[in-house]
DNA sequence: CATGGATACATCGGAACCGAGGTATTGTCT
DNA sequence: AGACAATACCTCGGTTCCGATGTATCCATG
């Protein structure tokens, strides 16, 4: 996930690690902060895999910077990960937002629509948070106000996203669909 | 997080690991699945810490079950974790839903309200996903439809939760507030 | 001129996590 | 009788993650 964010931001433009960290923090960090001790090893992993290159620049403000640039393989890997997100990338909102943030790099509208459709079918799966045996419990059946809140909030959020997904898919898909 | 879910479900009623896993999967698993190889070590950790006890039962259906029961210290630890959630417990939706799912075990309405207020103040913090320097970008300023979607969805979800939080706080707090 | 804060990068050790695999029992379908 | 799924628990090895800590530079404030 972190790796996808790194590849995605570097596909927008070359950046040094510190700036990368700020952008990742803005994207997912207010929800799930990224520690530097997670980011720098991740950068090193991607560098060792040949997905990005670093060029040391004399520090314009303070310490010397390592400007990171995506390689050709890095761009391919980004598009591969965007086109074939794992199930968790689709279900976990943090991961999904990261996919969405960089989906534009998957230039083909049909490929973009296919990814959105995966999220759509996940959101359309019937799912609850609490069950009585196999039967999903509805908000009205819970006497715990906090658990009722979970269902209420989840329903509202998924409705908002369904609306957005359907209208966006309409603009991406040719009328033939 | 996983540990909080274990403590919380066992506070509802004693359970064996396999049943525990099914409940956790229902609660957070459709978003972020829980591997058995994560659950069983976590149970062992909590057992070693004296927070739960296991009693082996002859298997009623198949293999023998280890019925897990929360100890007195386990109940205290649960209430401590609920009353003082970490920042990540408040900001990360998966974690937050887990807190909500067991908040009823914090019997005191004022203590429950204090936890809800932490979430409220987090949601009220101005935050965006994309910035131009320090200035948060609004949905209308983005030409990428997917990034615009992120902002649109996030706004709708946070609005739904704010409404729920405020109305629930009204019922929890004495009129004096 | 000293203190602190921002910039910028890095390592270390411990914890958590997860996929793959293993063991054993019971019930069901063929 | 054999195959298979479901129940029920567990370990191992590799990866990732993160808090703590360290290094160094530059700038603003007092």
């Amino acid at each position: 996930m972190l790796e996808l964010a790194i590849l995605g931001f570097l596909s927008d433009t070359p950046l040094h690690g510190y700036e990368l960290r700020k952008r990742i923090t803005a994207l997912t960090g207010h929800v799930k902060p990224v520690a530097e001790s997670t980011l720098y090893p991740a950068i090193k992993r991607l560098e060792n895999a040949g997905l990005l290159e670093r060029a040391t620049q004399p520090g314009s403000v303070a310490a010397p910077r390592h400007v990171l640039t995506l390689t050709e393989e890095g761009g391919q890997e980004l598009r591969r990960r965007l086109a074939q997100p794992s199930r968790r990338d689709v279900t976990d909102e943090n991961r999904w937002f990261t996919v969405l943030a960089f989906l534009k790099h998957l230039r083909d509208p049909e490929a973009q629509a296919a990814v959105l459709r995966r999220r759509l079918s996940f959101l359309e799966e019937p799912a609850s948070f609490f069950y009585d045996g196999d039967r999903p419990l509805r908000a009205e059946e819970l006497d715990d106000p906090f658990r009722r809140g979970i269902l209420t909030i989840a329903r509202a959020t998924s409705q908002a996203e369904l609306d957005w997904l359907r209208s966006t898919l309409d603009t991406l898909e040719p009328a033939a669909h």
Side-chain angles (χ1 to χ4, degrees), chain A:
Chain A
M1 191 40 17
L2 179 56
E3 294 185 359
L4 183 61
I6 295 172
L7 295 175
F9 276 124
L10 292 184
S11 180
D12 289 346
T13 177
L15 292 170
H16 57 278
Y18 201 77
E19 175 62 27
L20 194 47
R21 183 174 181 238
K22 283 204 281 187
R23 299 207 185 186
I24 294 174
T25 297
L27 181 60
T28 59
H30 54 287
V31 165
K32 184 176 156 59
V34 181
E36 293 197 349
S37 50
T38 306
L39 177 62
Y40 286 112
I43 290 173
K44 200 169 284 183
R45 280 201 300 279
L46 296 175
E47 190 190 9
N48 289 341
L51 304 181
L52 58 84
E53 277 166 351
R54 77 172 72 196
T56 305
Q57 262 190 357
S60 65
V61 183
R65 293 169 165 181
H66 294 183
V67 175
L68 309 169
T69 310
L70 210 61
T71 62
E72 185 51 44
E73 300 87 61
Q76 282 169 22
E77 177 66 16
L78 170 64
R79 288 186 291 278
R80 205 191 55 70
R81 293 190 191 204
L82 288 171
Q84 283 143 30
S86 70
R87 171 153 176 98
R88 278 194 59 189
D89 290 339
V90 174
T91 63
D92 188 326
E93 203 186 22
N94 295 329
R95 287 169 173 258
W96 171 245
F97 273 9
T98 308
V99 170
L100 265 191
F102 303 109
L103 198 55
K104 67 170 167 189
H105 293 302
L106 212 61
R107 309 299 285 265
D108 176 22
E110 184 45 46
Q112 292 170 337
V115 176
L116 294 192
R117 263 183 254 115
R118 285 202 43 203
R119 175 74 175 178
L120 183 64
S121 71
F122 164 67
L123 289 180
E124 282 171 341
E125 284 171 19
S128 180
F129 293 84
F130 306 101
Y131 289 81
D132 175 22
D134 277 342
R135 197 176 59 83
L137 291 172
R138 317 215 50 179
E140 304 79 39
E141 296 176 83
L142 296 169
D143 51 348
D144 177 346
F146 306 116
R147 293 196 178 182
R148 218 157 53 217
I150 292 176
L151 295 187
T152 306
I153 295 162
R155 203 180 292 168
T157 63
S158 113
Q159 198 50 57
E161 189 168 349
L162 284 168
D163 291 345
W164 177 82
L165 276 172
R166 293 195 180 109
S167 77
T168 304
L169 277 169
D170 278 347
T171 72
L172 285 176
E173 288 167 336
H177 277 255

